[in-house]
């Protein structure tokens, strides 16, 4: 039977949505995004609705505001919304009120990101990375009580330092970027990154493993280390800074900074999320600029 081809706007919407998922890991690759979407469906199906709703809301806001079509298609106005949808779905019980909050917060993330994109391109500012997600995430978590959102039940898992849980922490860390703590979900995310490029997958594994080793050497809380909560930032730092193949020390320095900075957020009473990744990358990039090693600012901000 003859099937009508998808209309161009439908293809564009689907591609932008999938790119939004892959942009969480600094990639523009629809197939990678599709596999990440599958990882969420397998590892935490209760988070899937929030992720899709957040991505759609941030995309729709960008479309309605007539932001650059190339940026929308690339998924730049998607990944912060996806992360906000995942965060809120992981922390609070599902409700119509929560869905409305995800819609509003994800749309706002696009409004916040747009001037940051312009600042990077026009004034050589530092990349925003996931800053809209982190800033809005902190605000929304603080407002959870006043807004009378019911906290989602947390399942405590005891992990043991040894030949099983320690290597699996590398896999968990990559999954924890999108709030997935199951090794099978982390493995699917790793597969998605290798689909985007073998160097991408290798850098993610190296970053996660290096952060794990550094966190263990620095005596960080064992349960948090084995759950991959330090490795998630290490993986993102490696993906962001590992692009400079001539200076691999940048990625190592960034991972070390990320691990060292992370306990500070707990001391402030703030969930770290991807904030150590952002701050560590900023510090390394500022240092490179001061040393005259920085390359011209790129349009990507994640």
């Amino acid at each position: 039977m003859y099937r009508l081809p998808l209309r161009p706007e439908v293809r564009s919407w689907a591609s932008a949505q999938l790119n939004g998922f892959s942009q969480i890991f600094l990639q523009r690759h629809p197939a990678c995004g599709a596999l990440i979407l599958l990882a969420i469906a397998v590892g935490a199906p209760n988070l899937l609705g929030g992720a899709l709703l957040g991505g759609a809301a941030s995309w729709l806001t960008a479309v309605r505001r007539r932001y650059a079509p190339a940026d929308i298609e690339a998924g730049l106005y998607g990944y912060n919304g996806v992360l906000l949808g995942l965060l809120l779905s992981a922390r609070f019980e599902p409700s119509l009120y929560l869905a409305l909050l995800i819609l509003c917060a994800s749309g706002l993330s696009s409004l916040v990101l747009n001037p940051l994109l312009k600042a990077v391109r026009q004034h050589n500012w530092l990349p925003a990375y996931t800053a809209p997600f982190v800033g809005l995430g902190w605000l929304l978590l603080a407002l959870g009580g006043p807004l009378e959102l019911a906290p989602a039940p947390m399942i405590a898992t005891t992990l043991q330092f040894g030949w099983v849980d320690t290597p699996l922490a590398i896999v968990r860390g990559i999954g924890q970027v999108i709030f997935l703590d199951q090794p099978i979900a982390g493995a699917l995310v790793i597969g998605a990154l290798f689909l985007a490029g073998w160097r991408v997958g290798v850098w993610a594994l190296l970053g996660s493993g290096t952060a794990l080793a550094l966190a263990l050497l620095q005596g960080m809380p064992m349960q948090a280390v084995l759950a991959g909560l330090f490795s998630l930032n290490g993986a993102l730092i490696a993906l962001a800074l590992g692009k400079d193949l001539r200076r691999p020390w940048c990625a190592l320095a960034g991972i070390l900074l990320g691990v060292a900075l992370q306990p500070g957020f707990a001391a402030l009473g703030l969930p770290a999320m991807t904030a150590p990744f952002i701050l560590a990358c900023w510090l390394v990039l500022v240092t490179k600029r001061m040393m005259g090693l920085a390359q011209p600012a790129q349009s990507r901000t994640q």
Side-chain angles (χ1 to χ4, degrees), residues 116-197:
L116 297 177
L117 268 174
K118 291 181 179 179
V120 172
R121 292 164 176 168
Q122 298 174 8
H123 306 293
N124 201 30
W125 278 24
L126 293 169
Y129 296 119
T130 52
F133 154 65
V134 171
L136 290 171
W138 282 341
L139 176 63
L140 292 167
L141 291 179
L143 292 175
L147 292 176
E148 299 183 352
L149 294 172
M154 305 297 290
I155 300 175
T157 302
T158 302
L159 302 172
Q160 301 292 331
F161 180 79
W163 293 107
V164 177
D165 286 336
T166 304
L168 283 179
I170 298 174
V171 180
R172 283 193 178 94
I174 296 174
Q176 286 282 15
V177 175
I178 50 176
F179 304 93
L180 304 179
D181 60 359
Q182 298 298 319
I184 183 62
L188 285 171
V189 176
I190 293 171
L193 297 179
F194 273 99
L195 188 62

Side-chain angles (χ1 to χ4, degrees), residues 25-88:
F25 294 89
L26 293 84
Q27 308 302 312
R28 177 182 177 174
H29 198 289
C32 171
L35 199 49
I36 290 171
L37 192 60
L38 177 63
I40 298 171
V42 170
N46 58 307
L47 307 185
L48 184 60
L52 291 170
L53 187 60
S58 52
W59 168 84
L60 182 60
T61 300
V63 171
R64 297 292 294 177
R65 296 289 296 178
R66 300 184 183 276
Y67 293 154
D71 291 341
I72 296 173
E73 173 69 19
L76 295 183
Y77 293 104
Y79 67 95
N80 282 292
V82 171
L83 287 170
L84 285 167
L86 287 167
L87 171 67
L88 294 175

